[in-house]
Amino acid sequence: MKLENQRILITGASSGIGKILTRELAQGKGNRILAVARHTENIPVAHNIVPFAADFSIPEEIDRTFAQLHESWGGVDICIANAGFAYREKLEEPDWHHTEQIFNLNTLGQIHTLEHFIRMNREASGEKKYFVSLISAVAMVPLPYYALYCASKFALDGFWRTFAFEKPDWLRVLRVYPVATKTAFFTRASGEQNPPLPFLQQKPEQVAAAILRGLRRNRSKVYPSRLFTLFYPLMRAIPCFSLLYSLNEKRKMERQLK
Ligand SMILES: NC(=O)c1ccc[n+]([C@@H]2O[C@H](COP(=O)([O-])OP(=O)(O)OC[C@H]3O[C@@H](n4cnc5c(N)ncnc54)[C@H](OP(=O)(O)O)[C@@H]3O)[C@@H](O)[C@H]2O)c1
């Protein structure tokens, strides 16, 4: 897909991977970007970026965003569902709201966004449209003390695996599986500066570049870390390798949580 003359919706545009993607996509000739976050003051500024304040864990806010898209541009060609967050924690006290929050944004918010994207484009003139879903490598390998986050991304990945058999022909879906990316994400989740798995650590610029490459080449999946793509088959082939990795991460997290 050519990344020019596109109407683009991106969520999580105020930080990390989404902020860099917003900046990069704004360079494309004729692109128009509706850039969503709750804190719009951190969204990059350019003549073709429209900052839009919305909380994508709330369905009415997603409805409002698509109403705005319809009114302003009459539609959208690329939707990048990137907003997401995690908690690092020990589950000790019952707290329904807490659990609900993470699924509302990471899982249900993306699915509701897709529903709007489909409704908006189902009459489209045969041109391919792209939906990009930021999942995570934790949908493939568990990260101890991030059980709710992993579950929200596992659920999302399960949705996409099934939806692949139902999706309309005009719709392309790009599933992205980043790992240990150095953004504010893990600081927000745990207070720690550095992501876990230091040997797999990546810059958000690398993840954004891999996503843009995936879009240009019409890919359906992107694994931004080459090292992870080497390790993962090994983990599947030798299950004790995966178990040792998770136990090692558990030990490290327990030291940090003390
Ligand atoms: N960093 C990693 O290692 C990593 C690894 C795997 C997958 N991922 C996934 O990649 C995506 C981007 O992560 P990142 O590392 O770039 O994180 P980040 O730097 O923390 O950015 C998260 C973005 O999501 C927005 N956001 C959070 N809650 C929101 C809400 N309720 N409504 C609307 N926007 C909201 C934030 O903006 P506001 O606070 O202004 O709303 C921010 O722009 C996430 O889906 C994450 O799960 C990250």
Side-chain angles (χ1 to χ4, degrees):
M1 166 175 258
K2 253 193 155 181
L3 296 179
E4 290 181 351
N5 299 315
Q6 306 288 347
R7 297 163 298 176
I8 301 165
L9 167 66
I10 179 162
T11 67
S14 63
S15 172
I17 300 165
K19 188 170 185 171
I20 292 163
L21 277 175
T22 303
R23 206 180 280 139
E24 292 292 319
L25 287 164
Q27 312 282 327
K29 197 172 135 230
N31 284 346
R32 287 174 283 172
I33 303 167
L34 192 78
V36 175
R38 291 166 306 173
H39 306 97
T40 50
E41 66 279 9
N42 298 329
I43 290 174
V45 177
H47 69 94
N48 53 350
I49 298 174
V50 181
F52 193 81
D55 184 334
F56 262 48
S57 64
I58 302 171
E60 293 77 14
E61 293 275 280
I62 302 175
D63 302 344
R64 184 171 66 79
T65 307
F66 275 85
Q68 178 66 44
L69 272 171
H70 184 68
E71 197 185 310
S72 307
W73 301 339
V76 60
D77 305 304
I78 300 176
C79 178
I80 305 180
N82 164 72
F85 79 100
Y87 312 110
R88 184 194 63 182
E89 63 188 347
K90 283 184 181 172
L91 291 178
E92 286 172 329
E93 295 294 328
D95 187 342
W96 183 269
H97 177 69
H98 181 80
T99 308
E100 199 178 34
Q101 271 298 102
I102 198 159
F103 278 90
N104 279 352
L105 181 65
N106 293 1
T107 318
L108 306 183
Q110 278 210 26
I111 295 171
H112 196 59
T113 305
L114 172 75
E115 289 165 348
H116 270 290
F117 190 68
I118 290 175
R119 187 169 69 183
M120 191 165 251
N121 284 306
R122 70 177 164 223
E123 312 292 336
S125 57
E127 253 186 61
K128 300 280 186 200
K129 309 277 177 180
Y130 240 122
F131 192 97
V132 181
S133 170
L134 268 285
I135 312 177
S136 171
V138 303
M140 299 152 83
V141 183
L143 184 61
Y145 294 106
Y146 283 87
L148 289 180
Y149 177 62
C150 292
S152 71
K153 296 289 187 174
F154 259 86
L156 182 62
D157 199 43
F159 169 83
W160 287 123
R161 280 163 193 260
T162 312
F163 183 73
F165 294 96
E166 305 168 18
K167 72 173 191 56
D169 286 341
W170 57 262
L171 175 63
R172 287 201 175 116
V173 177
L174 178 64
R175 286 148 60 186
V176 187
Y177 299 87
V179 57
T181 311
K182 205 161 172 1
T183 64
F185 181 84
F186 281 103
T187 316
R188 288 188 184 133
S190 66
E192 302 288 331
Q193 287 299 320
N194 286 314
L197 313 172
F199 65 104
L200 287 174
Q201 203 164 296
Q202 283 203 291
K203 291 190 181 136
E205 288 80 2
Q206 292 171 287
V207 177
I211 294 171
L212 295 175
R213 239 184 349 262
L215 277 168
R216 285 197 189 96
R217 295 179 184 172
N218 298 328
R219 297 277 194 260
S220 57
K221 285 183 205 156
V222 164
Y223 301 94
S225 164
R226 293 234 169 82
L227 209 53
F228 181 77
T229 47
L230 288 176
F231 266 101
Y232 185 61
L234 205 67
M235 284 176 160
R236 287 195 63 126
I238 314 170
C240 73
F241 193 74
S242 170
L243 185 67
L244 284 176
Y245 145 80
S246 288
L247 286 173
N248 186 41
E249 282 307 308
K250 173 175 149 71
R251 261 195 302 274
K252 280 200 283 182
M253 297 283 181
E254 276 172 352
R255 273 201 300 273
Q256 290 173 2
L257 281 165
K258 264 185 193 155

